[in-house]
């Protein structure tokens, strides 16, 4: 990580907003135009810092305490995109919101804040089930999507690996479910989705396989959200663990 950062600093232009960060890196031996040659003592310190730093960003990301992340009281879903597209407010940069989002993903744009704009996309994430327990790749879960999901274009849910924040790797090579697929619907138009190592009998089309050794999290996306989502007359339930 530190070597890649040093290489990147040499390659990239130093922006005005980066100057304080450059000052913090200088005592670590990472400085534009100079070699990076940590000794054994510094190596250990920097490796320890990686572990602590990732633990900090995971806590900031996967258990958000940001006001703009709040979906509704009692829900374990939150809004994944909390920092403004440019991370700016009138008086400060949105450090925690930016750090949380960019630990998961890369780009940010006004169109990815549909919960505020009423257009574009809504990105919602969850890291715990209805009982408040962390999602576990060894367990089976279900998610009930109520009738008439409030998306003018379509909705989707995609599963990601906590360790990499990339799409989960599984034996079925399938990581998402969406209204564009041929899912089995209930008589009222609702749909039950399933996540876990074992496919529910006869419901394979509505299932995404998780791996027992991998923690995961989902993004639930609404493309072109409609009023029932914005006024919360349509509510997304929590993911529920299936009793074996």
């Amino acid at each position: 990580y530190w070597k890649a950062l040093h290489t990147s600093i040499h390659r990239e232009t130093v922006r005005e907003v980066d100057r304080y960060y450059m000052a913090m890196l200088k005592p670590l031996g990472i400085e534009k135009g100079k070699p990076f040659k940590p000794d054994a003592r510094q190596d250990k310190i920097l490796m320890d810092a990686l572990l602590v730093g990732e633990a900090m960003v995971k806590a900031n990301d996967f258990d958000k305490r940001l006001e703009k992340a709040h979906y509704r009281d009692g829900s374990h879903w939150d809004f994944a995109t909390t920092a403004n597209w440019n991370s700016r407010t009138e008086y400060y940069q949105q450090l925690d919101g930016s750090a949380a989002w960019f630990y998961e993903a890369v780009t940010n744009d006004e169109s990815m804040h549909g919960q505020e704009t009423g257009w574009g996309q809504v990105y919602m994430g969850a890291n715990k089930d209805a009982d408040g327990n962390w999602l576990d790749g060894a367990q089976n879960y279900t998610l009930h999507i109520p009738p008439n999901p409030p998306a003018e274009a379509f909705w989707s849910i995609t599963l990601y690996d906590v360790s990499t924040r990339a799409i989960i790797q599984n034996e079925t090579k399938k990581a998402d479910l969406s209204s564009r697929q041929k899912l089995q619907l209930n008589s009222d138009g609702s749909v039950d989705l399933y996540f876990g190592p074992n496919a529910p009998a006869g419901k394979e089309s509505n299932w995404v396989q998780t791996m027992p050794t991998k923690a995961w999290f989902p993004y639930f996306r609404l493309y072109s959200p409609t009023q029932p989502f914005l006024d919360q007359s349509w509510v997304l339930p929590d993911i529920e663990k299936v009793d074996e």
Side-chain angles (χ1 to χ4, degrees):
Y1 170 81
W2 298 111
K3 289 178 181 177
L5 178 61
H6 179 255
T7 300
S8 179
I9 283 173
H10 277 274
R11 184 175 62 242
E12 301 292 340
T13 300
V14 178
R15 302 173 303 165
E16 194 66 24
V17 71
D18 293 330
R19 293 175 64 84
Y20 280 105
Y21 295 102
M22 297 294 285
M24 287 186 276
L25 291 171
K26 186 175 183 296
L28 305 183
I30 299 177
E31 190 172 357
K32 191 174 181 71
K34 294 185 179 181
F36 175 51
K37 295 181 178 179
D39 58 28
R41 182 187 68 86
Q42 292 169 321
D43 267 344
K44 183 180 185 306
I45 293 172
L46 292 172
M47 290 303 294
D48 289 345
L50 289 180
L51 296 175
V52 174
E54 185 166 24
M56 291 171 63
V57 76
K58 280 184 173 179
N60 179 52
D61 185 12
F62 295 134
D63 199 8
K64 293 183 180 69
R65 293 181 290 177
L66 301 165
E67 183 179 355
K68 290 180 69 175
H70 181 71
Y71 171 46
R72 58 184 287 116
D73 291 347
S75 175
H76 289 97
W77 289 98
D78 58 37
F79 295 116
T81 47
T82 61
N84 299 336
W85 69 270
N86 60 3
S87 298
R88 295 180 67 87
T89 70
E90 184 177 3
Y91 300 115
Y92 61 87
Q93 295 292 117
Q94 295 169 305
L95 178 60
D96 286 344
S98 296
W101 176 242
F102 284 99
Y103 184 66
E104 296 181 20
V106 177
T107 59
N108 192 2
D109 186 87
E110 189 178 7
S111 64
M112 299 164 69
H113 296 254
Q115 70 274 16
E116 296 178 349
T117 65
W119 54 273
Q121 306 105 47
V122 172
Y123 283 70
M124 299 181 70
N127 300 287
K128 297 178 181 179
D129 64 19
D131 297 320
N133 296 315
W134 299 102
L135 297 173
D136 183 348
Q139 303 296 325
N140 290 298
Y141 301 91
T142 184
L143 173 63
H144 180 73
I145 306 294
N148 304 312
E152 187 175 335
F154 67 95
W155 61 264
S156 72
I157 187 166
T158 307
L159 273 54
Y160 296 84
D161 186 320
V162 166
S163 295
T164 64
R165 280 82 65 207
I167 291 173
I168 62 168
Q169 301 294 307
N170 57 26
E171 296 168 354
T172 65
K173 302 187 185 300
K174 177 182 177 181
D176 73 302
L177 300 166
S178 83
S179 56
R180 298 180 296 176
Q181 300 175 14
K182 292 183 178 180
L183 303 176
Q184 296 183 47
L185 303 181
N186 301 319
S187 59
D188 63 354
S190 65
V191 59
D192 294 307
L193 309 179
Y194 302 90
F195 317 106
N198 304 314
K203 299 287 187 179
E204 290 81 0
S205 63
N206 292 28
W207 168 67
V208 174
Q209 183 186 35
T210 62
M211 306 306 289
T213 59
K214 296 288 187 178
W216 61 276
F217 69 95
Y219 281 157
F220 182 80
R221 295 177 173 92
L222 294 169
Y223 289 83
S224 299
T226 57
Q227 189 60 32
F229 178 80
L230 301 174
D231 63 22
Q232 296 196 4
S233 56
W234 186 95
V235 173
L236 181 64
D238 279 336
I239 296 171
E240 296 190 8
K241 182 182 174 183
V242 177
D243 293 330
E244 300 295 334

